[in-house]
């Protein structure tokens, strides 16, 4: 096995040092009934070339070479080469959670930069070092709101990503926290504030609103915040399309922001790994889950960084911890940090502007289902044909069309959710328009 | 002085925000091939932001230099031994990084048609099958994003099964040697936690356990080998005891690197367990993630697994969403897919015999280190070690030097420290896991380094207490960081202009 | 070191009673064992406390310790300065770094606590 550095000679020397003459003696103390009496039923080891060949063949059985107009929580954005170059450095790739600050200043410094940029983008004052993904950041944010308010009822918009809503339900089911949905306006595709207001009460811990929402519409977070705050509840603002932050006014009235950063440099990768994040107002810093990096000094007076406020975490507080989360998604967060430094202040805005322009070009002349403002995603009515028939035709042009919405919203079974990004080409968009119109 | 790497040539590197200068750019977008849209009118009043205040503006050259310089302040497996106990820091094969970037896999959208996702689904199916064979379990879900989420999934599965039998019960028993995630997870699943003590051999005290288990007990969470690196000899008796009282046994598979190809948890009666693919199956830790926490279960827990489940219909893989008894989803989409690709590549490269050899080498390396360090450090539990060994700092503490100080001095010798002060049941623990991907030469250097530090402590403890001496950053003031947390950069008012 | 007019608990809190109000804090010994204290979590004024039950916690960088109510009663005042300056707990635990003032519901509880000499022998000093 080529990854094992010891030769038979060295194994023999080490065994001799231990007074053994076979490797089997190393586990001779294990009870017989637990030992595996046969070899594992797995094929023999493969060479590097065979492995590359195998995965290339698998890739070819996927949609290699197709243009894609799917969004729905996972966006196809160009990844600058620099992102891959930096995360491929062994010092980042093969390092561990930076507990030993003196030999992890690289990771710690980049996380501090990450936290800062997330704050700048979201209008919040504190951001953690990242979460598993957006879908798990949402229940963590909800539990955070429950701790802060000492309340348990959660009101969630039906236009929060349907899979996120399912994950929220899984997490909160056994914590005595009712999760109640409020609807959307059939005309605008935005939250139905009247429905929210009728369900808000002084037991409500948080109101969860996504913007742009799953149907693409941009929500009025000022209204959401005002309603939530009127009953002493918190507003949790969720985003799945991080590029929108380059152009949209950040949710300054929100209390907690939970989002998905996949758009910042990570290709779709069939659903993961991505990186989520939670940001919040300064006063909630001790209730935020996950890793936090703080600035300090070393004994020589140099600026240095370290993990901080660890007493919130499971390895110290055990069953009283803010969460059981141990890891962040440091490498993906690093990729996002590099992405944001490559694009920078002007670039992120220009990137967002291109997404907006492409999506509005694609939407032009199509039968839009909702009238609300949108960023780079929107819902169209399929018209005479079914969404599946349209998508089938597009596959013939090597184009993956939009998401048929019937799976998540039965009332929208005749609709497609379409997404355009800076990678969408005009000629392909024209084919999509033709297929739908 | 033994050890091979001395790093930190870079001394000063500013933050991105300080490097920033107006008008610099490191990007170029293609010319827009459609008409530009006016943001303010498209997005509606009040929805368009002004410029992002203090956001960096740097050139491409500055970007690569910044991150490359910062990288030199890090330590990774690529530089040398990384003996963090319980973390299984083994070599991360580079071919795995390459195959995870295969275009058809990396750019696969989770909602693309199944007919155009057969390659991705095959990765999932094949990895599930391999992990089931390795663990001796009946079914595997790859949806959980990390070990801790795997634990939560496993405990939710146990809860769902017990509920279906009429009573979810109230408490979960956890050994005092367990990782902190175990109790935190139990609490998130709505259970209270009861601790069971270890006996003098560093194993679960079965009589103490028997006295605790009753009608209120949902499950035992056990780590095997445990955090002392010791195999729970009574595991079969323990699973039998729990089952006889209607409770289940969850295994934290963090230490599976000691067992692959040698023993299977499923054969010992374990009902559910998670695997840390980023430990045992070598996917890179990346400074703290991404990981992946596959969960393996016996048949009776299968109906409750997170959906969707893969099934094969006429030679095609398809997702089955019709799982009415499922606990739901624990994460959107299908888990950390890119991590799954890497783990499968690792398994394919080793094959069955290679995986077994890796386990044997991991156990050999740990025992070799243990033998080499025994003259210098106190071994609290003499029971045989599996893939890691745990010493205490009791001899060194007499000179005022604690495990953290030894760890900091080890940095000067060019090694990453071991796990410090864990498990809690060993006072002042030094928890050492070398893994199988270290050569005898590297281990000898490590043993020499640790022996050298032990001698330094006898002669000049003050010097060790001030370590590290060779890094760009000396010991950091964690107290100041926690008392007045500064967790983001903000522009300081220019001198003289402050109000 | 340990004021003669204070009473002490086995969990290393002190209480000093004037009239029906007791001022409480943690002992010098407790702060020494905890090391550098970085954060204190205290109840709000008006909270009801029960003798022997946790009223809050103190944190060092790597540990959290519960603080137990030395007597039952209602919190009448909280030492807000500790939120900004937790280091005071290391510097002056028996004085400026008092934690809360409690209106006693049963003043006889104080007599169950240890006098200074007994506490000092309890901690082996």
């Amino acid at each position: 096995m080529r990854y094992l550095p010891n030769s038979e000679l060295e194994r023999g020397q080490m065994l001799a040092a231990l007074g053994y003459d076979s490797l089997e003696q190393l586990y001779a103390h294990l009870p017989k009934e637990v030992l595996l009496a046969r070899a594992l039923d797995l094929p023999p080891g493969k060479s590097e070339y065979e492995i590359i060949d195998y995965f290339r063949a698998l890739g070819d059985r996927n949609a290699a070479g197709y243009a894609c107009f799917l969004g729905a929580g996972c966006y196809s954005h160009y990844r600058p080469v620099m992102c891959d170059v930096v995360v491929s450095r062994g010092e980042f790739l093969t390092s561990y959670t930076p507990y030993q600050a003196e030999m992890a200043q690289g990771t710690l410094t980049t996380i501090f930069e990450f936290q800062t940029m997330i704050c700048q983008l979201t209008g919040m004052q504190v951001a953690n070092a990242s979460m598993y993904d957006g879908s798990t950041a949402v229940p963590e944010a909800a539990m955070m709101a429950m701790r802060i308010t000492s309340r348990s009822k959660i009101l969630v918009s039906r236009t929060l990503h349907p899979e996120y809503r399912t994950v929220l339900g899984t997490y909160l089911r056994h914590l005595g926290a009712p999760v109640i949905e409020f609807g959307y306006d059939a005309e605008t595709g935005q939250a139905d504030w009247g429905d929210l207001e009728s369900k808000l009460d002084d037991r409500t811990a948080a109101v969860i609103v996504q913007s742009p929402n799953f149907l693409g519409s941009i929500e009025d977070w000022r209204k959401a915040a005002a309603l939530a705050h009127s009953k002493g509840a918190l507003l949790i603002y969720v985003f799945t399309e991080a590029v929108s932050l380059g152009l949209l006014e950040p949710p300054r009235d929100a209390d907690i922001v939970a989002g998905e950063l996949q758009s910042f440099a990570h290709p779709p990768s069939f659903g993961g790994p991505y990186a989520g994040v939670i940001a919040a107002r300064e006063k909630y810093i001790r209730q935020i889950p996950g890793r936090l990096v703080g600035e300090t000094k070393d004994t020589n007076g140099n600026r240095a960084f370290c993990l901080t406020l660890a007493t919130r975490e499971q390895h110290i507080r055990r069953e009283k911890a803010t969460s059981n989360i141990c890891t962040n998604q440091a490498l993906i967060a690093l990729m996002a940090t590099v992405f944001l430094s490559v694009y920078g202040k002007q670039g992120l805005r220009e990137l967002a502007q291109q997404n907006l322009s492409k999506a509005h070009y694609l939407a032009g002349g199509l039968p839009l289902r909702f009238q609300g403002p949108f960023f780079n995603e929107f819902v169209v009515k399929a018209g005479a044909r079914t969404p599946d028939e349209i998508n089938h035709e597009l596959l013939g042009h090597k184009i993956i069309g939009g998401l048929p919405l019937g799976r998540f919203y039965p009332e929208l079974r005749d609709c497609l959710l379409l997404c355009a990004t800076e990678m969408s080409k005009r000629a392909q968009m024209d084919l999509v328009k033709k297929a739908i119109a | 002085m033994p050890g091979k790497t001395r790093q930190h040539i870079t001394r000063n590197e500013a933050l991105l925000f300080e490097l920033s200068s107006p008008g610099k750019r490191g990007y170029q977008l293609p010319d827009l091939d459609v008409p530009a849209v006016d943001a303010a009118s498209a997005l509606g009043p009040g929805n368009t932001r002004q410029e992002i205040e203090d956001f960096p503006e740097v050139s491409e050259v500055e970007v690569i230099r910044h991150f490359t310089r910062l990288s030199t302040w890090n330590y990774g497996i690529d530089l040398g031994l990384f003996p963090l106990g319980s973390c299984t820091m083994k070599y991360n094969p580079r071919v795995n990084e390459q195959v995870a970037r295969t275009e058809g896999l990396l750019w696969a959208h989770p909602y693309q048609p199944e007919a155009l996702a057969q390659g991705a689904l095959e990765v999932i199916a094949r990895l599930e099958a391999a992990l089931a064979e390795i663990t001796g379990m009946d079914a595997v879900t790859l949806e959980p994003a990390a070990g801790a989420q795997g634990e939560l999934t496993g405990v939710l599965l146990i809860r769902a099964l017990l509920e279906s039998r009429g009573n979810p019960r109230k408490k979960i028993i956890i050994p005092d040697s367990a990782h902190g995630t175990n109790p935190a997870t139990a609490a998130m699943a709505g259970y209270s936690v009861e601790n069971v003590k270890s006996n003098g051999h560093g194993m679960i005290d079965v009589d103490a356990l028997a006295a605790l288990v009753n009608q209120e007990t949902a499950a035992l969470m056990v780590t095997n080998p445990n955090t002392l690196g010791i195999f729970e000899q009574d595991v079969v008796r323990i699973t039998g005891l729990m089952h006889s009282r209607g409770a289940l046994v969850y295994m934290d598979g963090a230490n599976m690197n000691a067992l692959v190809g040698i023993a299977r948890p499923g054969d010992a009666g374990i009902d559910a367990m998670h695997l840390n693919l980023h430990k045992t199956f070598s996917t890179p830790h990346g400074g703290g993630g991404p990981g992946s926490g596959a969960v393996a279960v016996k048949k009776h827990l299968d109906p409750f697994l997170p959906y969707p489940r893969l099934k094969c219909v006429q030679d095609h893989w398809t997702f089955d969403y019709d799982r009415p008894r499922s606990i739901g989803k624990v994460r959107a989409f299908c888990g950390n897919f890119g991590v799954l690709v890497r783990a499968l590549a690792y398994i394919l490269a080793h094959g069955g015999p290679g995986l077994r050899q890796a386990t044997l080498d991991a156990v050999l390396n740990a025992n070799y280190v243990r033998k080499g360090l025994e003259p210098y450090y106190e071994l609290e539990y003499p029971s045989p070690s599996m893939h890691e060994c745990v010493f205490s700092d009791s001899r060194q503490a007499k000179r005022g030097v604690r495990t953290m100080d030894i760890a900091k001095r080890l940095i000067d010798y060019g090694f990453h420290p071991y796990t410090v002060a864990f498990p809690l049941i060993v006072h002042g623990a030094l928890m050492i896991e070398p893994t199988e991907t270290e050569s005898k030469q590297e281990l000898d250097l490590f043993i020499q380094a640790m022996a050298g530090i032990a001698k330094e402590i006898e002669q000049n403890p003050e010097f060790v207490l001030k370590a590290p001496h060779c890094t760009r950053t000396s010991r950091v003031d964690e107290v100041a960081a926690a008392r007045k947390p500064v967790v983001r950069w903000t522009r300081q008012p220019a001198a003289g202009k402050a109000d | 070191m340990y004021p003669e007019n204070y009473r002490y608990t086995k969990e290393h809190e002190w209480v000093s009673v004037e009239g029906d109000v007791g001022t409480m804090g943690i002992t010098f010994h407790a702060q020494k064992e905890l090391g550098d204290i970085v954060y204190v979590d205290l109840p709000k004024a008006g909270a009801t406390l029960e003798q022997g039950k946790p009223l809050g916690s103190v944190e060092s960088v790597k540990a959290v310790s519960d603080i137990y109510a030395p007597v039952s009663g209602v919190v009448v005042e909280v030492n807000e300065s500790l939120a900004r300056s937790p280091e005071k707990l290391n510097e002056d635990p028996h004085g400026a770094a008092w934690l809360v003032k409690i209106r006693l519901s049963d003043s006889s509880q104080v007599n169950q606590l240890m006098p200074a000499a007994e506490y000092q022998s309890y901690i082996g000093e």
Side-chain angles (χ1 to χ4, degrees):
Chain A
M1 208 300 117
R2 60 188 177 278
Y3 306 147
L4 300 175
N6 280 323
S7 64
E8 280 307 317
L9 176 71
E10 285 164 327
R11 286 190 185 105
Q13 289 167 342
M14 292 165 79
L15 281 170
L18 295 171
Y20 292 148
D21 40 45
S22 84
L23 287 168
E24 281 64 31
Q25 282 174 283
L26 289 167
Y27 59 87
H29 61 285
L30 265 61
K32 291 284 163 291
E33 63 266 35
V34 306
L35 290 176
L36 183 62
R38 58 171 176 82
L40 283 174
D41 183 17
L42 294 171
K46 293 207 167 10
S47 69
E48 196 171 288
Y49 170 69
E50 290 169 295
I51 288 169
I52 288 173
D53 214 38
Y54 172 71
F55 284 101
R56 188 180 294 143
L58 290 184
D60 290 343
R61 290 174 60 198
N62 281 351
Y66 280 65
C68 181
F69 289 89
L70 288 168
C74 169
Y75 303 89
S76 300
H77 292 291
Y78 176 70
R79 166 161 73 178
V81 169
M82 196 64 74
C83 302
D84 231 5
V85 167
V86 171
V87 300
S88 297
R89 284 193 70 92
E91 299 91 332
F92 286 127
L93 182 74
T94 73
S95 64
Y96 190 72
T97 305
Y99 290 121
Q100 300 291 343
E102 296 83 359
M103 61 191 332
Q105 284 298 304
T107 296
L108 289 162
T109 308
T110 61
I111 293 176
F112 187 78
E113 292 177 331
F114 169 84
Q115 291 173 180
T116 302
M117 288 200 272
I118 295 301
C119 289
Q120 292 168 339
L121 286 171
T122 58
M124 295 287 112
Q125 291 85 45
V126 47
N128 69 11
S130 72
M131 308 291 290
Y132 302 141
D133 76 336
S135 74
T136 53
V138 170
E140 293 280 3
M143 290 189 284
M144 180 177 163
M146 287 158 59
R147 290 190 295 274
I148 291 168
T149 60
S150 303
R151 300 175 179 183
S152 62
K153 183 170 142 183
I154 302 291
L155 292 178
V156 58
S157 167
R158 260 195 91 215
T159 57
L160 175 69
H161 194 300
E163 296 207 23
Y164 286 30
R165 276 183 280 139
T166 312
V167 174
L168 181 66
T170 307
Y171 265 74
L172 297 193
R173 188 167 305 134
H174 305 298
L175 299 179
V179 179
I180 295 161
E181 296 187 352
F182 57 96
Y184 62 88
D185 183 294
E187 293 297 312
T188 63
Q190 295 165 309
D192 179 345
W193 301 125
D195 193 27
L196 169 62
E197 205 166 357
S198 72
K199 289 168 178 166
L200 257 175
D201 58 26
D202 55 13
R203 292 181 307 130
T204 309
V207 172
I208 305 179
V209 172
Q210 177 184 328
S211 183
N213 68 27
F214 189 74
L215 304 174
S217 298
I218 292 162
E219 297 283 9
D220 182 355
W221 49 260
R222 293 177 184 88
K223 178 85 179 164
L227 282 170
H229 296 161
S230 74
K231 295 286 184 190
L234 305 189
L235 173 64
I236 300 174
Y237 176 99
V238 178
F239 63 87
T240 60
E241 171 47 294
V243 168
S244 69
L245 296 170
L247 209 47
L248 286 178
E249 176 66 6
R252 297 182 201 278
D253 296 350
D255 302 282
I256 304 172
V257 175
E260 169 60 64
L261 302 173
Q262 175 267 330
S263 287
F264 293 159
H266 209 284
S269 189
F270 208 57
Y274 301 160
V277 72
I278 290 183
R281 293 168 182 252
E282 187 109 54
K283 61 182 172 184
Y284 301 137
I285 187 167
R286 286 177 190 274
Q287 294 302 336
I288 219 169
R291 304 278 191 226
L292 273 175
V293 169
E295 182 181 330
T296 185
K297 285 191 165 34
D298 71 3
T299 51
N300 299 324
N302 287 319
R303 177 169 62 187
F305 301 94
C306 63
L307 291 173
T308 194
L309 306 187
T311 44
R312 299 164 296 117
E313 296 186 62
Q314 46 75 27
H315 62 278
I316 292 174
R317 212 178 276 255
R318 299 174 83 86
E319 67 266 30
K320 291 179 187 160
T322 52
S323 166
N324 73 343
I325 195 166
C326 315
T327 44
N328 56 358
Q329 300 273 300
L331 202 68
I332 313 289
L334 172 61
M335 222 182 253
T337 307
V338 179
F339 179 95
L340 292 173
S341 51
V342 167
Y343 276 107
K345 185 189 276 188
Q346 296 176 50
L348 192 62
R349 189 180 188 88
E350 198 179 321
L351 177 66
Q353 181 75 52
Q354 283 213 359
N355 275 260
L356 181 79
S357 298
K358 299 259 187 177
H360 282 75
Y361 176 79
L362 179 62
L366 294 183
L368 298 188
R369 174 66 181 75
F370 300 112
Q371 311 313 317
F374 62 92
F375 174 62
N376 68 354
E377 267 183 294
F378 54 89
V379 176
V380 293
K381 285 179 281 196
R385 292 194 293 170
T386 68
D388 287 332
E389 284 165 352
I390 292 169
N391 280 342
H392 186 76
E393 178 190 323
L394 288 171
L395 287 178
H397 299 292
K398 291 203 105 175
I399 290 172
I400 296 172
L403 179 74
L405 282 172
R407 170 175 165 196
F408 295 124
Y409 298 88
E411 71 277 18
L412 300 176
R413 75 180 73 79
D414 61 340
C415 293
L416 278 166
L417 179 66
L418 280 170
C419 173
T421 72
E422 78 283 3
M423 292 177 77
S424 307
K425 295 192 171 70
R426 182 170 183 152
Q428 291 156 341
M429 289 195 282
D430 287 338
L431 287 167
V432 175
K433 286 161 82 93
K434 201 169 140 231
I436 295 171
Chain B
M1 186 187 273
K4 286 182 178 165
T5 60
R6 295 287 179 277
Q7 71 239 89
H8 302 192
I9 297 160
T10 304
R11 307 305 292 183
N12 299 302
E13 179 62 15
L15 297 178
L16 281 168
F17 317 99
E18 298 156 346
L19 291 168
S20 177
S21 169
K24 287 202 184 206
R25 48 195 279 175
Y27 75 99
Q28 182 180 355
L29 284 160
D31 289 342
L32 198 57
D33 61 359
V34 299
V37 167
D38 177 56
S41 59
L43 295 173
N47 280 338
T48 315
R49 79 184 302 162
Q50 300 302 306
E51 71 164 37
I52 309 165
E53 209 180 333
D54 288 328
F55 215 63
E57 293 177 86
V58 288
S59 69
E60 178 164 334
V61 176
E62 285 155 323
V63 170
I64 190 133
R65 286 192 185 151
H66 176 67
F67 289 103
T68 304
R69 286 176 188 150
L70 289 182
S71 77
T72 65
W73 291 345
N74 262 9
Y75 184 91
I77 304 155
D78 283 0
L79 285 163
L81 175 74
F82 213 123
L84 267 182
S86 214
C87 301
T88 315
M89 295 295 285
K90 59 169 78 176
Y91 169 60
N92 306 136
R94 277 308 207 282
V95 66
N96 300 356
E97 296 308 302
Q98 188 170 326
V99 295
R101 287 167 171 80
T102 304
E103 192 203 337
L105 300 175
L106 186 62
W107 287 89
H109 193 286
Y111 291 149
Q112 72 191 35
E114 281 175 359
L116 288 173
Q118 289 298 304
L121 298 180
E122 164 127 2
V123 169
I124 294 172
R126 191 144 179 201
L127 183 59
E128 282 185 2
L131 296 179
E133 165 65 9
I134 287 166
T135 55
M137 309 293 272
D138 300 317
V140 174
T141 173
L142 302 174
E143 196 172 289
Q149 221 201 3
E151 275 178 32
L152 178 63
T153 306
V155 175
L156 291 176
L157 292 169
I158 287 170
R159 191 178 180 111
L161 174 69
L162 292 174
E163 267 170 8
S164 77
R165 291 177 182 169
N167 180 4
R169 302 189 172 198
K170 292 208 168 69
K171 65 181 187 189
I172 285 187
I173 300 176
I174 296 174
D176 53 4
S177 60
H179 293 112
T181 46
N182 296 171
T185 299
M188 284 176 81
Y191 283 113
S192 63
V193 172
E194 211 163 12
N195 278 305
V196 57
K197 290 219 177 314
S198 303
N199 63 24
H201 303 290
M203 300 176 209
I204 292 175
D205 185 327
V206 185
D207 294 332
L209 177 66
L212 281 178
V213 188
N214 58 31
Q215 297 300 314
E216 298 292 288
T217 309
L220 168 74
M221 291 179 89
V222 58
T223 307
N224 195 19
N226 62 29
T227 55
L228 294 165
I230 296 170
F231 190 87
E232 294 285 354
Q233 295 284 0
D234 295 318
V235 61
V236 176
R237 242 181 93 203
I238 289 169
T239 54
L241 165 72
M242 299 305 291
H243 292 160
S244 73
R245 303 199 185 169
L248 284 82
V249 183
Y250 183 85
M251 183 173 127
D252 180 332
N255 294 337
M256 193 65 196
N257 211 43
L259 300 183
V260 175
I262 287 176
R264 306 196 308 171
D267 299 338
I270 300 295
D271 298 286
M273 67 178 292
H274 76 267
L275 294 160
N276 302 82
L277 300 186
H278 49 285
K279 295 181 181 177
T280 315
F281 300 95
S282 90
T283 70
H285 282 69
S292 181
V295 172
V297 299
K298 289 282 177 56
K299 248 188 216 89
H300 48 280
L301 289 165
D302 184 321
F304 307 99
L305 285 171
Y307 68 80
R309 299 288 301 151
L310 266 186
K311 61 179 181 187
C312 194
V313 178
Q314 294 168 343
D315 288 344
H316 267 68
W317 292 109
T318 181
F319 274 133
D320 180 7
Y321 287 88
D322 185 21
R323 304 274 301 178
R325 301 172 79 190
S326 166
I327 59 166
K329 286 184 76 66
V330 294
R331 186 197 178 285
F333 311 123
C334 357
N336 280 345
F337 178 77
V339 178
L340 310 181
V341 172
R342 291 168 173 90
L344 180 59
Y346 174 90
I347 290 170
L348 292 176
H350 282 77
L355 288 173
R356 182 169 185 278
Q357 185 65 51
T359 304
L360 294 174
D361 280 7
V363 178
L364 176 64
N365 280 359
N367 279 281
Y368 185 74
V369 167
R370 169 177 159 159
K371 181 89 179 171
L373 296 186
E374 263 180 297
Y376 310 101
Y377 296 88
E378 192 67 28
L379 191 68
E380 204 95 335
Y381 293 94
S383 302
S385 291
M386 295 292 285
H387 67 303
E388 64 190 0
C389 51
V390 180
F391 291 90
S392 92
D393 64 7
S394 57
R395 293 186 207 173
Q396 289 70 32
K398 291 184 187 122
R399 309 278 296 173
V401 178
R402 306 308 310 265
T403 176
M404 183 60 95
D405 305 309
I406 301 165
K408 297 298 186 197
R409 181 64 181 140
L410 194 54
I411 294 172
D412 286 332
Y413 283 82
F415 296 106
H416 193 280
Y418 46 78
T419 294
V420 175
F422 185 85
L424 303 175
I425 58 169
V426 173
H427 194 67
L430 295 70
M431 185 193 205
I432 303 169
E433 179 181 8
T435 85
E436 71 278 11
T437 61
E438 297 304 329
S439 67
K440 177 172 177 296
Q441 292 96 314
E442 187 81 4
L443 298 178
D444 285 337
L445 289 174
F446 174 70
I447 292 165
Q448 277 179 50
M450 290 293 289
I453 295 169
K455 284 179 197 131
E456 285 174 352
I457 292 166
E458 291 301 315
Q459 290 152 8
N460 188 359
E462 280 305 309
F463 186 69
V464 176
L465 287 171
K466 292 204 173 85
H469 301 280
C470 303
T471 51
R472 177 266 181 188
T473 299
S474 58
R475 269 197 215 194
V476 306
D477 187 349
E478 296 185 347
V479 172
R483 278 183 179 160
K484 307 246 167 9
V486 177
V487 296
R488 72 188 159 119
W489 179 87
T490 47
R491 182 171 296 284
Q492 299 302 310
K497 283 191 198 161
D499 48 34
Chain C
M1 175 61 64
Y2 294 92
E4 292 294 336
N5 55 332
Y6 289 10
R7 292 297 186 106
Y8 302 86
T9 71
K10 288 185 171 175
E11 285 79 30
H12 312 288
E13 292 91 12
W14 56 263
V15 61
S16 153
V17 179
E18 270 181 59
D20 63 347
V21 172
T23 301
M24 69 82 59
I26 61 168
T27 66
F28 181 85
H29 175 79
Q31 68 76 28
K32 197 176 71 184
E33 289 294 304
L34 285 162
D36 293 318
I37 290 166
V38 299
Y39 185 68
V40 195
D41 187 24
L42 296 175
K44 291 194 171 63
T48 304
L49 304 180
E50 191 183 333
Q51 187 180 36
K53 292 278 161 62
L55 66 81
S57 58
V58 281
E59 299 183 9
S60 61
V61 170
K62 293 196 168 70
V64 187
S65 302
D66 284 332
I67 309 165
Y68 299 91
V71 288
S72 300
V74 173
V75 176
V76 291
E77 196 180 339
V78 178
N79 188 349
E80 304 288 351
S81 74
L82 296 176
R84 289 182 307 276
S85 309
E87 61 274 13
K88 277 191 193 164
L89 268 167
N90 292 112
E91 292 158 3
D92 191 7
H94 296 161
W98 59 274
L99 299 175
V100 294
K101 296 189 179 178
I102 306 165
R103 188 175 307 284
L104 275 55
S105 55
D106 175 4
S107 57
S108 72
Q109 287 177 338
V110 179
N111 300 325
Q112 304 157 9
L113 305 177
M114 288 180 274
E118 191 183 335
Y119 178 69
Q120 274 170 285
S121 72
Y122 169 68
I123 58 175
E125 278 179 14

